[in-house]
Amino acid sequence: MRSLLFPQGRPAWLGWGLLCLGLAALPWLLGSFGLRFAAEVLLVGVAVLGLDLLVGLGGMASLGHGAVFGAAGYAAALLSAQVGGSLPLVLTAGVVAGALLSGLMGWAARRTGGLFFLVLTLIFGQMVWEVVFRWRAVTGGADGLRGFPRLSLGDWTLDTPLSLYVVAAVLALAALALARSFARAPLGQALAAWRDQPERMRALGFDARRIQIRVFLLAGALAGAAGALYPFVNQYIGPNAVHWSMSATLMVMLVIGGVGTLHGGFIGAMIYLVIQTYISSYTERWQLIVGLIFVLTVIFLPHGVARLAQSVRSRRQA
């Protein structure tokens, strides 16, 4: 797995510098609504990044990842209602809830593969939705949760669009660095080798199950951290956040952005959410536009929008 932000032959600090510069420039270019929207894109992008580790690195397409993201949001919102919106506590609750739920799903699905794996993760996610939707006394049922405390860090209240954006940007950078380190580590390389040549790795005595569980834990922790902050951006979280359609949406974002690119999830999240947020105000058929982009991406850019420049360069050389 290789990110195009850090291609071979270019110093890593240059890619990080350009990324940080771009994130730092956005507050000067966007208003309050734009900053909240940018924070939402970054948080959803972190969740898609976790999914990219499962799909791009491990070759395990999951339809339960959205449930992990949403369940962590519920856990953080419920905790904040009891002890306040302390940022460290909220993030800890989300990471723990996400890692545990994703790890449990990975453990249950570790002996399956292909279609059976996909269906099992789907059913697992729907079980989470059933709990959230039916347990009205705790989760609010179909009405969801709202009115929980604002985020805080010490004496600072993080309730302005700028503060929420800064927190989301820091989380996105940390998540990207962690994912990149894992993908380049021997553990990540071994899992990628299992994905590409399982028979050969099995003949060498390699057991991928333990590493697969670790990838699920990491992916769940990333989705959990993002999910923990997500309710505080809009001051609301509902059962749609854990529905299977959320998992499918994250998968669509990943395919559009680029599987295995690490940062492609952020690009896919931006494209999808721009259409959902802005284009939908002009037409109710915005999902047709998403579908058209998805089909065109699969046909003409099978490696995603993140690798558009590379695809154009390859076609010119050909």
Side-chain angles (χ1 to χ4, degrees):
M1 178 181 285
R2 191 180 74 179
S3 173
L4 297 184
L5 285 173
F6 312 99
Q8 295 178 350
R10 177 185 296 178
W13 61 264
L14 180 58
W16 285 112
L18 292 174
L19 182 58
C20 292
L21 183 63
L23 291 174
L26 282 183
W28 300 92
L29 303 175
L30 301 176
S32 296
F33 180 82
L35 284 177
R36 283 188 179 272
F37 175 75
E40 182 178 358
V41 169
L42 289 172
L43 293 179
V44 174
V46 171
V48 182
L49 172 61
L51 182 61
D52 197 10
L53 290 178
L54 292 175
V55 180
L57 186 64
M60 300 174 289
S62 171
L63 284 179
H65 197 68
V68 175
F69 173 75
Y74 270 97
L78 290 170
L79 179 65
S80 69
Q82 299 296 322
V83 300
S86 171
L87 179 60
L89 286 178
V90 164
L91 276 177
T92 300
V95 168
V96 172
L100 288 178
L101 189 59
S102 183
L104 180 60
M105 181 169 57
W107 176 83
R110 73 191 190 283
R111 296 185 182 278
T112 63
L115 179 61
F116 295 101
F117 178 89
L118 190 67
V119 173
L120 196 150
T121 58
L122 171 62
I123 293 175
F124 194 93
Q126 281 304 94
M127 291 170 62
V128 175
W129 176 86
E130 186 71 17
V131 172
V132 168
F133 189 79
R134 301 298 180 186
W135 202 4
R136 185 177 180 84
V138 175
T139 64
D143 297 328
L145 296 175
R146 57 177 84 238
F148 32 85
R150 307 284 182 173
L151 276 180
S152 62
L153 182 61
D155 296 330
W156 295 336
T157 301
L158 308 175
D159 60 348
T160 64
L162 178 59
S163 61
L164 292 171
Y165 168 77
V166 170
V167 172
V170 171
L171 176 62
L173 289 172
L176 187 58
L178 181 60
R180 180 171 179 260
S181 296
F182 182 84
R184 292 163 61 93
L187 202 63
Q189 294 297 315
L191 185 60
W194 175 274
R195 176 202 63 202
D196 297 332
Q197 298 178 322
E199 296 300 328
R200 180 177 181 181
M201 297 298 288
R202 189 178 293 111
L204 293 174
F206 179 76
D207 185 5
R209 292 190 180 96
R210 292 183 179 180
I211 298 182
Q212 288 173 339
I213 294 296
R214 294 180 185 180
V215 175
F216 265 96
L217 289 172
L218 178 57
L222 293 179
L229 298 179
Y230 187 77
F232 296 92
V233 174
N234 298 313
Q235 280 293 298
Y236 170 78
I237 185 168
N240 285 341
V242 296
H243 195 259
W244 73 267
S245 59
M246 172 59 78
S247 298
T249 297
L250 296 179
M251 189 70 74
V252 169
M253 292 176 181
L254 177 60
V255 173
I256 292 176
V259 178
T261 60
L262 293 182
H263 70 289
F266 294 95
I267 297 176
M270 181 185 65
I271 293 174
Y272 186 97
L273 291 175
V274 163
I275 296 174
Q276 184 185 54
T277 303
Y278 292 97
I279 305 300
S280 63
S281 61
Y282 297 98
T283 175
E284 296 180 354
R285 298 178 177 84
W286 62 272
Q287 290 180 324
L288 289 177
I289 300 176
V290 173
L292 180 61
I293 292 177
F294 182 84
V295 171
L296 292 177
T297 301
V298 171
I299 295 175
F300 297 105
L301 296 171
H303 300 295
V305 177
R307 289 179 173 170
L308 176 60
Q310 182 181 10
S311 300
V312 173
R313 191 182 306 114
S314 299
R315 290 183 180 181
R316 286 182 177 177
Q317 292 176 352

